Amino acid sequence: MKFKEFNTANIYILISIVVGWIIVAFKIEPFLQYHFQQIGFLTTSNFFKSFLSKPGGIADYISIFLSQFFAFNYFGSLIIVAIASVQGLIILNISKRLSKIPAFRFLFFTIVFLFGILVLSDYRYPYYASIRLLFAFIFTWLYTILNQKFSKPGYFLWPVFAILLFYLASGAALMVFALSSVIVLLITQKGTLQFIATPLIIILAIVIPYLGYLFIFSPVLPNLYRIVEVKPPQMLAYSVNYELVIYYLILPAILLSLIFINRWQKKEIVVLSGKAKRPKHINKFYQKSTFILSSQLVAVFLIGFLLFSTSFNYERKKFVYLEYYAETEQWEEIVEKAYEFEKYDFRVNFYLNRAYSNLGLLPEKLFEYPQLLGSKGLFFDTSLLNGSFTMPLSDLYFDLGFMSEALHWAFEAQTLLPDSPRILKRLVMIYLVNENYQLADKFLKVLNQNALHRGWVQKYSKYISNPALADNDKTIAEKRKFSPQKRAISTHPFDNLKLLFATNKKNRMAFDYLIAHSILDMNYDDFIRYVKGYRFYGIQTLPDSWAQMLSMDILRNKSMPDFADGNTVSQDCLNRFTELNQIIKQYNGDKNAAHEAIKRNFEKTYWYYWMYLNPEITNVLNNITRIE
Amino acid sequence: MKEGGKVWLLVLMVVLFSCNSEIEEFSEIESFPDIFPDYTGIKIPPNIAPLNFKINEEGTDFEAHFYVDKKNPVVVRSASPEIQINISKWHKLLEEGKGSNLYIDVFVKSEENEWKKFQTIENQISEEEIDSHLAYRLINTGYVLWNNLGIYQRNLETFEEKPILENSSFEYGCLNCHAFANNNPNKMMLHVRAIHGGTIIGNEGKIEKVNTKTDYTLNAGVYPSWHPDGKHIAYSVNSIGQYFCSGDVRIEVADKYSDLIVYDVENKVVSTSPKVSTENRENLPVWSPDGKYIYYVSSIPANTRDDRIEGKYNLLRIGFDIETYTWGDIDTILSSEIMDKSISFPKISPHGKYLMFCTSDNGYFTIHHPMTDISLLDLESGEIKELEINSPETDSYHSFSSGGKWFVFSSKRLDGLFTRPFFSYLDENGNASKPFVLPQKNPGFYDTFIKNYNIPELITGEVPYSPLQIREKVLEDAIPSKIDIAVDTMYMKQHLNHEVDYSPHS
């Protein structure tokens, strides 16, 4: 019977772990966490030392070490599941030690396990919160064993445990430990001492971080009590949600439940006092343990499903995917993903423009997605955003071949995330393009301290010792041709595009962006100035967005520009333009009245943008607030 | 091993070095070893930390002999090219060799098991010590954003670095412009910006947070200089902007307006004058060692962005009587027109003989200017010379040791990007020795260190205020300041509102 009970419980635990791993690996996908947070773990002693000066630093160090493996989705999932399982197994063991009733142990395990996974639904989740909590679990477990074996030393060793835990895992973990150990004392100890110790432990858990703040550690006081510290960069700022709070309260809550379970058991025995045997209904209860376990399993899966469905932000995941595709230059996937968003998003707008441009489709597809921000959908408006724009801007300028700006934004990004492998790689590439091998080598050496990227380092280190390899690298060679000799940084992207075009007319991407910028700004003068050179790119008939803008210019000036001929604007475009004018006439020039009719057929055209969508009409830019 | 261009003198010798060295036979190479950092032909203070270095020569074993007297070398043997010297042996060696030469013999063992000795490196050990500590800010290379930053102090006699204040202790605000009175760590100040803003002043054991802004001055104090009496600080008050540009200088920091004030540390009183609150942009004040004058730079008014960036600064001087708070007359010391350069960061040697300053093509915020160099003005003879220490990269902010012989300056010469502190010795004739970079325990430190050393200031000891004490004050409200009753407040109000006819004062 016991053996069967043991096996059923363990099989269910194993099932939970496997299901958990599947959910993490295929639903949460920790590699997205890795890319979003740009996790960088360095193997140097200085990197380690930088964690020693603050409470919780050791847990943070371990968490960065572990979470770097999130880069490998399945292995990362295994780590997440393993840590959550260890927490579950600890609680299982503690409950075995403190209660003889096994009925809810599986539930205890799965609840902890479930929340250990659930908290990762937010891609900004700092994994150190899980590791810090793991320390609290381990300390509670050790303290339980200590209390079972020795009575008095348990009281006196608590401050030692507490101080050590505070240093390793900071104040929130200490509070979990304090609450848990109070309950452990209530269960394991008898006499008046526990009533004195209980408030003392809670007071100490509050006082220790404060004393640490006053006399030893420099971080701000609230951070010593918080589950998640408030610190830059803002783009990774995580808001503590109810799942995380519950995750932190589970251990004391379960221990508290053991008190009631134990009392219930005692009560039953008292009622049937004098009989040595277990009461019949309790016996039946045990006989039905497989059923109870199965019920728990089903319940946990249902709860898990419910919690996961409510807390998992699919939109955010899509956005993280979008950034990941942009980082890894998977342009077609960006296009596919972008249209999965239900609402307009300026970041989707930005990435889609970049993807279309890299696919050579920007002129044709410019208005496939609503360009609500006008030209600010091509380049992020840096005055309105936090640091999250830095790397995307650096990437875009690198695509365009503008090394000064790519460098500018890479350094801003590196200031926020100094150890990010992605940023370090970008810096290496920029300096290789700039033929500054000394600095390329420097950033390679920094990146070489990250064990996961040594292959990449090896590849590009050869470029340092043999610059001919860099000369023959297709990307580097192209960027060298396109990058302006005049080093410049400008707050006006249009100036940068003009400089790029002036540097090398063959830079088709710069040309497309330059034209797109003019179109979105409805800047006819610059549009005409640049578009007239379209034949240089082997174009006979202008792509849709250009042709639509040109048709408007012809209408405005009542004349054909001298560079245009019969092929410049397609017949289809002319027909559609005529059709548009007819609709407007039907509504006697009343734009508002004609809106729906025009939208039906012309929503994805420059004409619609000009009439209804551009920021001058919508006034959208005046209603934007800074992203925090 | 570098082969090209080297002449081999194959000398088989039996040498009797110290018992530590096992090299008995070696061939001699007639060139200096390639070592990093470059510690060849330099003059060093007798109290500097060991000059650990890396030998950039191919080999399987490495040995370096450091000696003043050849009979008693300090021998360092290493299987790696990194030479790390025992700190106590090093200090003993330097103490014994004060005023003498320090020789370094570098040996490299080839794969054929043959030792090669490079030409002996000859350095000088000065009689004069350098101040024991260096204070600096460590920042990343970002132009606008910041994250973790702090002001630190490094013991120059060892490798110990400690924070003076890190921004993680006050919600990641900004920190800048640390300054000390007469290199005294007991009298220090620094600014806190963005969050919990104010000026922290540590004065003989007491720390305060003050707000040096008054209703009659442009802004709170920015660029500081302590009066030699340790009771007053001259500040510029600036309206600063950051501009992106084209060319070698891709970012400019320039002022729209700036004036000067003197702050009374004990009485929290601000003094200024129409003479230093003009339409011109007065900036970067520094006291003369006798405390009677404020040297500062000044540029013509800037109405446009380009004016602000392109404007050149002259070096001026104004008298100030610390007893009566009387502002004296203005003298022009150096004209940017004559120099055809903009002058910035004047610093006067403690004995008052030399004024060291930066020159650049325009503006005053020189750290982003690759062409910035350091020059020396002999205040007695009026002679100006560009110092020998300059490099093709930025050579900028400098600070004298309290003895006046040693100075530190910022330079990007190692890689053109990151600012590092370099030290040099200035002799009686104004000749500066070949500079050397701040020594590090790990000779490969600079290969992977990607923060900048900003505003290096030499101090005579460790700052006695702990980061926790300073943090406590940072989190407090700042003590307000009063304007000195002698200040022409009506003028200052009009000045701030740009309603002044400046011609009588400018």
Side-chain angles (χ1 to χ4, degrees), chain A residues 304-319:
Chain A
F305 179 75
L306 196 72
L307 287 174
F308 202 77
S309 314
T310 53
S311 65
F312 194 76
N313 188 332
Y314 289 92
E315 284 296 291
R316 181 162 278 174
K317 183 180 176 182
K318 277 191 268 181
F319 174 68

Side-chain angles (χ1 to χ4, degrees), chain A residues 84 165 168 170 189 196 260 282 301 357 450 622 628:
Chain A
L165 179 62
L168 293 172
S170 199
Q189 304 295 328
I196 301 166
F260 295 108
I282 294 180
F301 276 115
S357 179
N450 186 320
N622 294 329
E628 298 295 355

Side-chain angles (χ1 to χ4, degrees), chain B residues 121-174:
Chain B
I121 295 166
E122 208 174 309
N123 294 326
Q124 277 181 287
I125 308 167
S126 80
E127 294 276 4
E128 298 85 1
E129 293 195 343
I130 193 167
D131 288 345
S132 66
H133 285 70
L134 182 73
Y136 44 81
R137 183 170 69 148
L138 288 179
I139 51 168
N140 286 97
T141 310
Y143 300 123
V144 180
L145 302 171
W146 74 86
N147 189 351
N148 282 306
L149 58 87
I151 296 176
Y152 299 84
Q153 53 189 328
R154 162 71 195 271
N155 187 337
L156 295 177
E157 297 172 356
T158 64
F159 298 107
E160 187 183 45
E161 184 187 69
K162 288 181 180 174
I164 293 174
L165 183 65
E166 289 173 320
N167 69 345
S168 58
S169 63
F170 60 98
E171 297 166 65
Y172 298 90
C174 189

Side-chain angles (χ1 to χ4, degrees), chain B residues 423-437:
Chain B
F423 303 93
S424 175
Y425 180 90
L426 191 70
D427 70 16
E428 305 76 47
N429 303 317
N431 299 314
S433 66
K434 179 182 170 184
F436 64 94
V437 72

Side-chain angles (χ1 to χ4, degrees), chain B residues 53-68:
Chain B
F53 58 81
K54 197 169 56 173
I55 303 169
N56 292 325
E57 304 283 351
E58 277 182 29
T60 55
D61 269 304
F62 304 86
E63 199 166 293
H65 300 181
F66 300 82
Y67 55 92
V68 174

